[in-house]
């Protein structure tokens, strides 16, 4: 009999219940008991939603991030928080959760005393997804100790509710690989300290009667050195001696040169991502020891298109004949990366909706495949017929293809991706036109989205607010935003983006080839959720998307106004993308749409245009051997969108929370006049790349961590910029936050920006042109 299971489920809730509970807790509007109760209710509901499969995951729920959960479970808590835990006098359980939030976001509550605030942990992307994790911190003195109380409590919860469960934990080697060494020691030297803690965890799981545990080692789909391969062998050789069966889980890619290693690791089973590694299955079957089960991730856990069940069954049948009861079926990876339930979408276009599957529907697909293999296709004939009809409908739909878009793409030439002149000449023309001071200040684009702004958008969508009154409301918000920036003394202003619900969804709503969900929320980090739009067909701009708002903002100020756009690669990577043509082709379609908007902004008198490519690094393949192909088309798409402007028009781009050092040459090829990047959480460590690479254009290293409610001091920002000026000439440095201010409150943003402007004045005094000449 085939066994079905799941690697993980969305934790935020169908209606973002966890998000709202977290934010109320941080505001001290609800107690910790209330927050824990909400979490317990969500887990119970999510387990019921997954009840169609055999093994349900436990341990995949998190208040913020599963990597941070692992750090706390392993006792790897930074010393700056451990001090608080011994001095604040709270009881252990309460304080542990507050310490957890201090590492996640810098403080446990919005009004926490400054003495209790700490530097938040560094945050970066989880492999090649838009999910962010808190980076573990290591030193040669790092010690580990097990605290599995939360995991064990959730196991008891699920069992009391009658579920058959499989705990999910992050593997020891991947955990080390994901972390950052804070001194000169080698992370792998900590493995000998870490393994006994994992052994103790497995003992406790065995004592609790756990049969199977899923240990995630996704680094097996990356290019590993001999040392990391040896670490995997060593770790699992010492972990296999116990009563709990180990399922080693890989996902997000193919195993390639790690295939034999993955097959030979001690343990009882192996999960692979068939969406990305289908071609490896036969070789894995040949090399997998006879006692091991093979779990095949046959349903895409990262996209929202239905699985072709007929094709999948046809492929699975001979495998089932070989493996029999050693075959398990699952999604390719955790369903954390897709929305919860398509059934909640009552307003979506019914034809396109019939092509989709969210988390609940993906588990139903697994169930259909399992029943068909175990009992015969006749037992699920209706479901198979409906699935086949949906695929036929999508293949034949006239809504998917647009001949005009295809024709325009065919007319694109290489010259369209090049600026008229080299950067040095452009920079001189831009300096004369803009007349900005040294260390010019600006923001990344968005300003706080108040409840009044969100309500106005809702009223406009529902028809209770007329288009004219909506326009007046948004203009009033823009006017207030401009006034605040002028009072603060910022040099380059933005309109604040009050009209935008999301930096990708807003643009998708004005492009052809997109459809939108109402409840399709996906967690990005902590309480931050996004609702990725769905690209189902060819993409084109149908009308100007931002010109009216930004031109209005420029009309009410003498200071330069920066036009704000999302770049084609980020729009692509933060959407659910059609799977019937290469992603590169879809990206170029989007690039042409953005290009039209850029040129219209320039015609409207906007002399600075920022095209955010926050997700450029995120889309990078996990293997370096595949980087060039991706970067070639991704950089070309950005250049196609940006480079039709005159030399005097200054093009900015922005990248956040990504390790971009290893693609700095590609970033340089984008040839943006100014690039703004996240550096505050990493204490400017990301700028080390400029010791070896001469980056010729201007740079704004972020000095204000907007993902924390903490307000940075003037001195801390001056210190960060002085570190930056040691690597980048001061005349090419900008002063700005790490990212947009949409998620912050005005009472946090105003004093932080005020300090940022003061920091720039200090820098101009300390590192001015006259002092430089002297």
């Amino acid at each position: 009999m085939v066994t079905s299971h799941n690697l993980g489920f969305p934790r935020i809730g169908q209606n973002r219940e966890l998000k709202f509970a977290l934010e109320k807790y941080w505001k001290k509007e609800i107690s910790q008991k209330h927050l824990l109760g909400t979490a317990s209710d969500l887990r119970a509901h999510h387990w019921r939603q997954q009840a169609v499969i055999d093994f349900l995951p436990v341990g995949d729920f998190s208040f913020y991030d599963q990597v941070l959960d692992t750090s706390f479970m392993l006792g790897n808590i930074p010393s700056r928080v451990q001090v608080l835990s011994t001095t604040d006098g709270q009881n252990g359980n309460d304080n542990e959760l507050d310490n957890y939030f201090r590492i996640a976001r810098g403080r446990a509550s919005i009004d926490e005393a400054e003495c209790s605030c700490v530097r938040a942990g560094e945050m970066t992307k989880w492999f090649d997804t838009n999910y962010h994790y808190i980076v573990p911190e290591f030193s040669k003195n790092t010690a580990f100790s097990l605290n599995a109380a939360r995991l064990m409590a959730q196991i008891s919860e699920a069992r009391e509710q009658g579920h058959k469960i499989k705990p999910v934990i992050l593997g020891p080697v991947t955990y080390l690989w994901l972390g950052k060494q804070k001194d000169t020691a080698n992370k792998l030297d900590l493995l000998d300290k870490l393994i006994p803690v994992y052994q103790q965890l497995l003992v406790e799981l065995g004592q609790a009667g756990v049969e199977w545990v899923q240990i995630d080692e996704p680094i097996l789909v990356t290019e590993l050195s001999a040392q990391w391969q040896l670490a995997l062998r060593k770790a699992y050789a010492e972990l296999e001696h116990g009563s709990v069966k180990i399922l080693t889980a890989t996902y997000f890619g193919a195993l390639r040169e790690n295939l034999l290693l993955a097959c030979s690791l001690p343990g009882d089973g192996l999960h692979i991502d068939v969406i990305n590694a289908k071609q490896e299955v036969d070789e894995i079957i040949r090399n997998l020891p006879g006692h091991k089960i093979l779990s095949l991730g046959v349903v895409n856990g990262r996209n929202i298109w239905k699985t072709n069940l007929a094709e999948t069954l046809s492929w699975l049948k001979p495998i089932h004949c070989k493996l029999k009861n050693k075959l398990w079926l699952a999604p390719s990876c955790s369903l954390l990366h897709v929305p919860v339930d398509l059934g909640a979408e009552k307003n979506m276009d019914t034809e396109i909706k019939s092509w989709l599957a969210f988390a609940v529907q993906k588990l139903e697909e697994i169930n259909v495949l399992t029943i068909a293999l175990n009992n015969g296709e006749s037992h699920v004939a209706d479901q198979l017929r409906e699935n086949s009809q949906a695929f036929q409908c999508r293949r034949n739909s006239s809504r998917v293809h647009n001949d005009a878009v295809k024709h325009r793409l065919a007319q694109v030439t290489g010259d369209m991706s090049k600026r008229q002149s080299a950067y040095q000449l452009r920079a001189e023309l831009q300096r004369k036109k803009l007349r900005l001071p040294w260390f010019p200040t600006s923001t990344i684009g968005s300003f706080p989205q108040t409840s009044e702004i969100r309500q106005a958008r809702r009223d406009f969508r529902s028809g209770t607010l007329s288009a004219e009154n909506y326009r007046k409301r948004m203009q009033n918000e823009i006017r207030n935003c401009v006034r605040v920036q002028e009072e603060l003394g910022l040099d380059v202003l933005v309109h604040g983006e009050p009209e935008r619900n999301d930096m990708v969804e807003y643009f998708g709503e004005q492009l052809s080839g997109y459809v939108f969900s109402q409840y399709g929320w996906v967690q990005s980090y902590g309480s931050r959720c996004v609702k990725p739009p769905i690209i189902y067909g060819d993409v084109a701009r149908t009308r100007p998307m931002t010109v009216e708002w930004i031109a209005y903002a420029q009309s009410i100020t003498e200071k330069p106004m920066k036009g704000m756009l999302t770049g084609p690669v980020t729009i692509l990577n933060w959407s659910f993308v059609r799977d019937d043509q290469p992603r590169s082709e879809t990206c170029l379609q989007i690039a042409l749409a953005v290009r039209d908007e850029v040129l219209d902004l320039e015609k409207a008198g906007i002399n600075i245009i920022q095209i955010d490519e926050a997700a450029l690094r995120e889309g990078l393949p996990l293997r370096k051997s595949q980087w060039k192909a991706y970067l070639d088309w991704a950089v070309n798409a950005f250049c196609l969108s940006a480079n039709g402007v005159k030399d005097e028009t200054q093009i900015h781009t922005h990248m956040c929370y990504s390790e971009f050092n290893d693609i700095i040459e590609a970033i340089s090829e984008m040839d943006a006049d100014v690039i703004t990047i996240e550096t505050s959480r990493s204490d400017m460590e990301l700028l080390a790349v400029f010791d070896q690479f001469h980056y010729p254009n201007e740079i704004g290293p972020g000095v204000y961590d907007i993902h924390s409610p903490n307000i940075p001091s003037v001195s801390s920002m001056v210190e960060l910029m002085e570190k930056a000026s040691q690597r980048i000439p001061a005349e090419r440095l900008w002063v700005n936050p790490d990212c947009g201010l949409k998620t912050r409150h005005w009472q946090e943003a105003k004093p932080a920006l005020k300090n940022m402007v003061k920091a720039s004045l200090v820098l101009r005094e300390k590192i001015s042109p006259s002092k430089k000449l002297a």
Side-chain angles (χ1 to χ4, degrees):
M1 299 291 285
V2 174
T3 297
S4 60
H5 71 113
N6 186 22
L7 278 69
F9 197 76
R11 59 181 73 125
I12 207 72
Q14 174 68 56
N15 298 306
R16 296 177 291 165
E17 292 91 339
L18 182 60
K19 167 191 171 65
F20 298 122
L22 284 169
E23 291 173 354
K24 287 181 179 179
Y25 178 72
W26 295 333
K27 294 176 185 177
K28 292 196 171 181
E29 293 177 358
I30 63 172
S31 67
Q32 188 171 123
K33 181 179 180 181
H34 190 134
L35 175 63
L36 295 174
T38 298
S40 180
D41 290 345
L42 277 174
R43 287 193 294 268
H45 182 62
H46 294 164
W47 287 325
R48 289 194 298 271
Q49 288 179 298
Q50 299 175 77
V52 296
I53 57 173
D54 296 319
F55 278 111
L56 277 59
V58 171
D60 56 329
F61 180 88
S62 174
F63 282 112
Y64 206 96
D65 159 51
Q66 76 273 9
V67 181
L68 183 60
D69 291 356
T70 304
S71 292
F72 271 73
M73 183 175 72
L74 300 175
N76 181 26
I77 305 171
S79 59
R80 61 184 182 276
V81 171
Q82 290 175 330
V83 171
L84 291 172
S85 68
T86 62
T87 61
D88 66 3
Q90 298 183 36
N91 73 65
N93 290 333
D94 288 351
N95 192 58
E96 181 181 74
L97 188 59
D98 284 346
N99 282 339
Y100 175 92
F101 289 134
R102 290 182 182 114
I103 290 300
R105 55 194 300 273
R107 62 172 72 185
S109 63
I110 198 166
D111 62 348
E112 189 165 40
E114 283 297 321
C115 62
S116 297
C117 298
V118 300
R119 176 175 54 82
E122 187 175 340
M123 186 164 65
T124 194
K125 299 291 178 71
W126 172 252
F127 292 86
D128 58 348
T129 75
N130 185 35
Y131 178 78
H132 303 63
Y133 72 93
I134 303 297
V135 179
E137 299 174 22
F138 302 125
S139 71
K140 60 184 178 183
N141 296 320
T142 295
F144 302 101
S145 60
L146 183 65
N147 178 7
R150 291 193 183 277
L151 175 61
M152 303 307 291
Q154 290 176 28
I155 290 172
S156 296
E157 272 183 44
R159 281 190 167 150
E160 288 170 3
Q161 294 163 32
H163 301 300
K164 186 177 181 182
I165 56 94
K166 168 175 55 67
V168 176
I169 60 175
L170 183 62
V173 186
T174 292
Y175 177 73
L176 290 176
W177 188 84
L178 292 170
K180 178 170 283 189
Q181 194 73 32
K182 294 297 183 178
D183 54 27
T184 58
N186 186 336
K187 289 187 292 187
L188 280 177
D189 291 342
L190 298 173
L191 185 61
D192 288 337
K193 296 181 181 179
L194 187 57
I195 290 174
V197 180
Y198 272 83
Q199 289 174 323
Q200 183 184 350
L201 174 60
L202 293 179
V203 168
E204 290 192 15
L205 291 174
Q207 291 172 345
V210 169
E211 180 185 5
W212 280 93
V213 61
Q214 172 188 317
I215 304 183
D216 290 355
E217 293 286 6
I219 61 166
L220 278 162
V221 304
T222 68
E223 291 162 336
L224 296 176
S225 67
Q227 290 86 351
W228 285 96
Q229 291 178 332
L230 180 61
L232 284 160
R233 289 192 176 92
K234 177 179 181 179
Y236 285 86
E238 298 190 38
L239 292 179
E240 72 165 335
H241 307 294
S243 60
V244 180
K245 297 177 181 177
I246 294 174
L247 174 68
T248 306
T250 71
Y251 37 81
F252 299 153
L255 293 166
R256 298 202 174 192
E257 72 278 6
N258 298 322
L259 186 148
L260 294 180
L261 167 63
C263 290
S264 64
L265 286 179
D268 304 278
L270 175 67
H271 171 85
I272 63 166
D273 178 345
V274 170
I275 304 303
N276 290 292
K278 188 175 182 178
Q279 71 282 1
E280 294 183 338
V281 172
D282 288 342
E283 186 177 359
I284 289 170
I285 292 173
R286 287 195 298 271
N287 287 281
L288 200 68
H291 71 279
K292 282 192 176 185
I293 66 98
L294 177 60
S295 168
L296 299 180
V298 293
V299 167
N300 194 334
R302 290 182 59 175
N303 213 332
I304 42 67
W305 304 104
K306 278 186 173 177
T307 304
N308 190 320
L309 296 180
E311 286 186 4
T312 305
L313 272 175
S314 178
W315 178 76
L316 279 172
K317 284 177 184 176
I319 295 173
H320 183 217
C321 288
K322 291 179 184 177
L323 298 179
K324 297 183 171 53
N325 65 341
K326 289 188 173 60
L327 175 63
W328 287 22
L329 297 182
S332 59
C333 61
S334 170
L335 296 175
L336 173 70
H337 310 286
V338 295
V340 178
D341 186 4
L342 186 65
E345 301 297 331
K346 306 302 182 185
N347 300 322
M348 186 181 289
D349 180 286
T350 54
E351 180 184 22
I352 297 174
K353 182 179 175 181
S354 72
W355 306 342
L356 309 179
F358 291 178
V360 168
Q361 288 71 42
K362 289 178 182 294
L363 294 179
E364 290 170 354
E365 290 180 334
I366 294 293
N367 186 45
V368 169
L369 293 170
T370 303
I371 292 172
L373 291 173
N374 286 338
N375 304 316
E377 294 180 28
S378 61
H379 287 77
V380 285
D382 290 344
Q383 294 95 317
L384 293 174
R385 188 182 309 109
E386 180 183 345
N387 179 268
S388 178
Q389 289 170 349
F391 268 83
Q392 189 76 9
C393 173
R394 186 181 173 199
R395 269 194 298 265
N396 298 332
S397 176
S398 60
R399 306 168 65 180
V400 173
H401 302 287
N402 184 327
D403 290 339
V405 174
K406 295 281 199 295
H407 177 74
R408 187 183 180 196
L409 196 58
Q411 306 305 308
V412 170
T413 65
D415 288 342
M416 293 172 66
S417 298
K418 298 176 182 176
R419 291 295 293 267
Q420 296 174 10
S421 304
Y423 166 74
Q424 289 76 10
L425 178 58
R426 301 196 314 263
E428 185 62 31
L429 295 172
Q430 291 163 16
R431 276 192 286 270
K432 290 179 180 178
K433 188 177 187 72
L434 298 172
R435 304 182 67 83
L436 295 172
W438 276 40
F439 299 103
T441 55
S442 186
T443 66
I444 302 306
S446 61
F447 270 78
Q449 294 255 323
T450 64
S451 58
E452 292 80 11
I453 289 175
R454 291 192 294 269
Q455 186 61 52
R457 286 202 304 262
R458 285 194 293 267
D459 291 345
F460 177 57
R461 286 174 179 270
S462 68
T464 58
L465 185 65
S466 69
E468 180 59 27
N469 285 332
Y470 175 72
R471 183 179 296 106
K472 289 178 181 178
R473 292 278 293 276
M474 292 300 104
Q475 287 181 344
N476 186 56
E477 294 291 346
I478 291 169
R479 190 163 52 250
N480 290 337
C481 187
V482 170
R483 177 182 53 79
V484 168
Q485 293 174 86
E486 288 181 326
E487 290 174 354
L488 290 169
L490 288 159
D491 299 305
V492 174
L493 311 189
V494 296
H495 79 292
E497 305 177 16
E499 79 286 2
R500 303 186 190 183
N501 46 7
D502 176 79
M503 65 181 291
V504 172
E505 186 176 15
Y506 173 80
F507 290 95
E509 287 174 338
Q510 301 176 82
L511 297 170
S512 66
Y514 271 89
V515 72
F516 304 88
S517 64
Q518 187 176 1
Y519 300 102
W521 297 101
V522 177
Q523 185 180 18
S524 178
Y525 65 88
S527 68
R528 172 70 171 146
C529 302
V530 295
K531 189 150 54 72
I534 298 164
I535 305 176
Y536 70 87
D538 290 330
V539 177
R541 190 184 77 148
T542 58
R543 61 186 184 277
M545 301 179 285
T546 68
V547 177
E548 175 188 354
W549 307 116
I550 296 170
Y552 171 75
Q554 183 65 86
S555 74
I556 59 176
T557 183
E558 296 297 319
K559 289 195 171 185
M561 180 63 56
K562 183 166 57 172
M564 297 302 308
L565 303 174
T566 303
V569 183
T570 297
I571 291 177
L572 180 90
N573 284 336
W574 287 357
S575 298
F576 289 122
V577 184
R578 59 190 291 191
D579 57 359
D580 61 339
Q581 72 177 17
R583 291 172 66 89
S584 56
E585 184 174 338
T586 302
C587 195
L588 288 175
Q589 292 177 359
I590 301 170
L592 286 173
V594 176
R595 180 185 180 92
D596 292 343
E597 191 72 13
V598 169
L599 295 176
D600 278 352
L601 283 170
E602 186 181 55
K603 289 176 187 175
I606 306 302
N607 299 311
I608 302 176
I609 303 171
Q610 180 171 308
I611 307 171
D612 287 344
E613 284 296 15
L616 179 77
R617 175 65 171 81
E618 171 185 310
L620 199 66
L622 296 177
R623 293 176 177 275
K624 289 186 177 181
S625 59
Q626 299 171 318
W627 284 11
K628 185 179 184 305
Y630 165 77
L631 288 170
D632 283 350
W633 64 255
V635 170
N636 181 52
F638 174 84
C639 292
L640 179 62
S641 71
N643 289 349
V645 297
K646 301 172 185 175
D647 285 343
E648 292 85 354
T649 299
Q650 190 175 76
I651 296 293
H652 291 222
T653 191
H654 169 68
M655 297 177 187
C656 59
Y657 297 95
S658 293
E659 295 284 351
F660 63 84
N661 292 10
D662 43 13
I663 60 167
I664 189 64
E665 291 186 20
I667 293 173
S668 179
E669 290 170 7
M670 294 167 70
D671 200 22
D673 298 303
V674 182
I675 178 173
T676 52
I677 52 180
E678 176 276 322
T679 48
S680 67
R681 282 202 178 191
S682 63
D683 197 31
M684 294 287 169
E685 289 178 9
L686 291 177
L687 297 186
V689 67
F690 298 113
D691 290 337
Q692 292 82 34
F693 184 86
H694 175 68
Y695 187 79
N697 303 12
E698 298 179 35
I699 300 175
V703 295
Y704 165 21
D705 174 17
I706 67 89
H707 293 88
S708 168
N710 294 349
I711 297 169
S713 66
V714 174
S715 60
S716 68
M717 289 190 274
V718 169
E719 182 180 352
L720 287 173
M721 289 303 298
E722 286 179 332
K723 288 182 179 180
S725 68
Q726 294 170 9
R727 291 179 164 124
I728 299 159
E731 62 268 26
R732 292 198 279 113
L733 283 171
W734 286 60
V735 183
N736 47 259
D738 277 341
C739 201
L741 298 166
K742 174 182 177 180
T743 60
R744 298 268 55 90
H745 300 280
W746 278 111
Q747 61 265 36
E748 300 161 352
K750 283 183 181 180
L753 292 177
K754 184 178 181 179
N755 287 352
M756 190 182 84
V757 171
K758 286 182 180 178
S760 72
L761 297 176
V762 172
L763 290 162
R764 289 169 198 169
E765 177 62 27
K766 295 179 73 172
I767 316 175
S768 66
S770 59
K771 290 188 183 261
K772 187 181 178 208
L773 290 173

